[in-house]
Amino acid sequence: MISYRIALIPGDGIGTEVLPPAQAVLSAVGARHGIAFTYDSFDWSCERYLAEGAMMPSDGLDRIRRHDAVLLGAVGWPGVPDHVSLWGLLIPIRRGFRQYVNLRPVKVLDGVPSPLRAAGAGDVDLVVVRENVEGEYSEIGGRLGRGTEDELAVQEAVFTRKGVTRVVEYAYTLAGNRRNHVTSATKSNGIVHTMPFWDELVEEVAGRHQGVRSDKEHIDALAAKLVLAPERFDVIVGSNLFGDILSDLAAAVAGSIGVAPAANLNPEREFPSMFEPVHGSAPDIAGQGKANPLGALWSAAMMLDHLGHPEAGEELLAAAFGALADGIGTPDLGGTADTAGYTRAVLKRVG
């Protein structure tokens, strides 16, 4: 029996409702594969911020540094500005633990109809690889002349050779294990310094992966093509901002952002990686039993894969996707199952 210690951060809203199903299914799948999990739960959230003035304690990273992985529910709540919750929890973890790859797989699933009429189950199967610690989301900048007619805000983007190269290398290596096709998101016709630099580094990496086909698309055209012909894409690599936008767009193309997973990876495994559904805290349905746990289940499957148990991850996904294919879905997908009902259906398939 192999045992893993997982840092559990339920967070806010439906984040507290989707992690228990993930834990239950992980336990069931793990038992079949000789894997056990122990959890340390942390109350880091907007509720904590409102009570104590901080999303997490000052030694938060030290408390979870030695865990094997982090499983996050959702963060965000009315009354706490998004930049406070994000910069108070998610970004410190991502940057403190060098989780420079944000990985977001996207598929059209049986039982989750795409809004695109021509896209059926299996037609769309792509992965967005997002640079996760620098780019447009830097801390460099500021505001001057607040409240005056001359007020201005400056935000600096930061692109480093090391930062761009390592995430692009990850994307090309991933594509080599999939369908050998990488599309780079750029905007070098309008952003004069950082995007040509990005393009040059992508070309350098591409030269080391001759078996992988490379495309370069400007972000505006790429957004349109994701809607018009999503089946043409395999691996899309983009900067922090571009990857963020494209991954949500691609999830919507697949039918629902509510089922989308994400992995924040430290590929060198010097620090724990973090896994989270993309759907957010959904205050409008929190506490009603309507939360869709599929994003959390899919994120848990990605965690299993990262920990070296791809067969267990595939079994978890087969059970989760199988329940949807049998017409058992939560209200966000047009179904009638509640969170517990969908979870029971998945557990039944795990056996």
Side-chain angles (χ1 to χ4, degrees):
M1 180 71 72
I2 301 173
S3 181
Y4 294 103
R5 186 179 173 207
I6 308 301
L8 207 66
I9 307 176
D12 302 297
I14 66 170
T16 65
E17 301 173 46
V18 298
L19 287 196
Q23 292 174 261
V25 177
L26 277 171
S27 294
V29 171
R32 294 169 54 84
H33 291 266
I35 309 167
F37 298 95
T38 59
Y39 298 96
D40 296 316
S41 188
F42 299 87
D43 68 344
W44 304 344
S45 61
C46 290
E47 182 178 0
R48 186 187 190 280
Y49 174 82
L50 292 172
E52 302 186 33
M55 295 291 296
M56 66 177 180
S58 58
D59 65 344
L61 294 185
D62 289 334
R63 295 189 186 188
I64 61 176
R65 186 180 303 273
R66 300 193 183 281
H67 286 75
D68 294 298
V70 180
L71 197 55
L72 174 74
V75 176
W77 199 252
V80 178
D82 288 341
H83 70 276
V84 170
S85 58
L86 183 67
W87 285 89
L89 182 60
L90 293 183
I91 289 183
I93 294 175
R94 289 171 176 171
R95 298 189 176 186
F97 289 160
R98 299 178 193 169
Q99 297 169 350
Y100 60 84
V101 171
N102 184 272
L103 194 64
R104 297 192 180 183
V106 175
K107 296 181 180 182
V108 172
L109 304 173
D110 192 2
V112 184
S114 169
L116 306 184
R117 287 174 295 177
D123 292 340
V124 177
D125 182 359
L126 62 90
V127 180
V128 177
V129 178
R130 167 191 173 190
E131 199 291 315
N132 208 33
V133 298
E134 55 176 48
E136 301 88 349
Y137 295 176
S138 81
E139 297 180 72
I140 301 174
R143 291 171 63 177
L144 295 174
R146 290 176 183 263
T148 72
E149 64 179 11
D150 297 317
E151 184 174 5
L152 64 89
V154 176
Q155 179 76 48
E156 299 286 354
V158 176
F159 287 72
T160 67
R161 172 173 285 274
K162 177 180 179 180
V164 174
T165 299
R166 64 189 180 185
V167 75
V168 175
E169 278 282 3
Y170 186 95
Y172 272 82
T173 300
L174 178 64
N177 294 316
R178 287 174 50 90
R179 302 196 305 277
N180 295 302
H181 181 199
V182 170
T183 302
S184 170
T186 186
K187 190 58 182 171
S188 49
N189 61 343
I191 301 176
V192 69
H193 297 302
T194 57
M195 285 293 101
F197 180 57
W198 171 278
D199 291 348
E200 292 167 14
L201 296 179
V202 171
E203 289 181 10
E204 288 183 13
V205 174
R208 297 193 286 270
H209 296 265
Q210 294 295 325
V212 178
R213 181 162 58 96
S214 299
D215 286 332
K216 178 177 72 174
E217 296 279 2
H218 291 135
I219 184 64
D220 43 355
L222 179 54
K225 290 176 182 179
L226 258 179
V227 173
L228 295 173
E231 70 283 351
R232 65 174 285 187
F233 297 102
D234 178 20
V235 174
I236 300 174
V237 64
S239 67
N240 212 332
L241 176 62
F242 292 173
D244 193 4
I245 294 170
L246 289 172
S247 55
D248 281 10
L249 172 61
V253 165
S256 174
I257 196 172
V259 305
N264 303 276
L265 300 178
N266 172 242
E268 295 78 14
R269 302 172 188 271
E270 299 169 316
F271 303 97
S273 294
M274 180 168 62
F275 303 84
E276 57 174 320
V278 177
H279 52 55
S281 59
D284 56 323
I285 63 168
Q288 300 176 34
K290 297 179 179 179
N292 186 346
L294 178 55
L297 295 179
W298 199 341
S299 299
M302 296 177 75
M303 183 181 76
L304 284 169
D305 188 57
H306 177 74
L307 292 173
H309 305 283
E311 300 86 358
E314 290 172 6
E315 184 175 318
L316 191 160
L317 285 183
F321 295 165
L324 287 179
D326 288 344
I328 303 171
T330 45
D332 60 303
L333 302 180
T336 59
D338 59 9
T339 307
Y342 175 75
T343 304
R344 285 193 299 270
V346 176
L347 288 170
K348 183 178 179 181
R349 283 160 179 77
V350 172

